[in-house]
Amino acid sequence: MKIDLKKLTASQHTSIPFADKIDLREETLYGAKPFQSPVQLSGEVSNESGVLRLRGTIKTIYSTACARCLKPLDILLTADADMILSDDPDAVEEDDLFVLTGDSVDPADVLVPALILKVQMTYLCREDCKGLCPHCGADRNEVDCDCESKQIDPRFAALRALLDRDRDEGE
């Protein structure tokens, strides 16, 4: 959805609202395609005393997995943006400045990067998630396995053999 900025530059203190749904199902992030739900955009582009400004919100469901137990998670992601739009070709894009390449702007070009910046590297199903057992793969949130007590650090295996031999000789 492109918004024609010629309408805004003609008169000051005007605004053009926008609302749209976009499809980011093919967007790859951390080796997965987490945006399987529609992405909703809303906001307005305004002319405030000759300065073009885009204010908007983007929200969607981010589908991922718990970093410890691998259970599927759906996280509601929301990002807000308040950007000044500049048509100066020598301007450098900054946190609050978006450089235009023509007489129109696509709100998705401004809001999607704001959404992606909200994504964390890892998510947990709950703060105290115990994760998976590294030996048997059991979900420690649901099952108490005794692998920890059976496993011996390989660096101490020789000492364990000595203790076992001493125990056998004592009997």
Side-chain angles (χ1 to χ4, degrees), residues 66-107:
C66 176
R68 292 184 188 158
C69 70
L70 303 178
K71 285 184 183 171
L73 295 175
D74 287 333
I75 308 295
L76 176 64
L77 274 185
T78 303
D80 296 317
D82 186 358
M83 302 287 271
I84 295 174
L85 306 175
S86 171
D87 59 356
D88 181 5
D90 297 329
V92 179
E93 261 189 46
E94 296 178 17
D95 290 343
D96 61 346
L97 181 70
F98 184 81
V99 180
L100 299 168
T101 56
D103 292 335
S104 63
V105 64
D106 187 349

Side-chain angles (χ1 to χ4, degrees), residues 100-149:
L100 299 168
T101 56
D103 292 335
S104 63
V105 64
D106 187 349
D109 292 343
V110 177
L111 295 171
V112 170
L115 179 72
I116 291 176
L117 286 173
K118 288 286 189 176
V119 175
Q120 298 175 19
M121 291 283 294
T122 60
Y123 288 93
L124 298 177
C125 60
R126 61 183 200 229
E127 194 62 38
D128 63 340
C129 178
K130 297 177 184 175
L132 301 176
C133 174
H135 303 288
C136 70
D139 185 348
R140 290 179 171 169
N141 297 313
E142 298 174 5
V143 177
D144 288 329
C145 66
D146 59 351
C147 293
E148 266 315 297
S149 61

Side-chain angles (χ1 to χ4, degrees), residues 7 20 23 29 32 35 40 58 70 76 80 82 95 108 111 116 120 125 135 149-151 153 157 160-161 167:
K7 297 174 186 174
D20 195 14
D23 183 9
L29 197 59
F35 300 109
Q40 298 175 354
I58 184 169
L70 303 178
L76 176 64
D80 296 317
D82 186 358
D95 290 343
L111 295 171
I116 291 176
Q120 298 175 19
C125 60
H135 303 288
S149 61
K150 292 180 185 176
Q151 298 297 321
D153 189 326
R160 179 69 170 179
R167 195 174 317 130

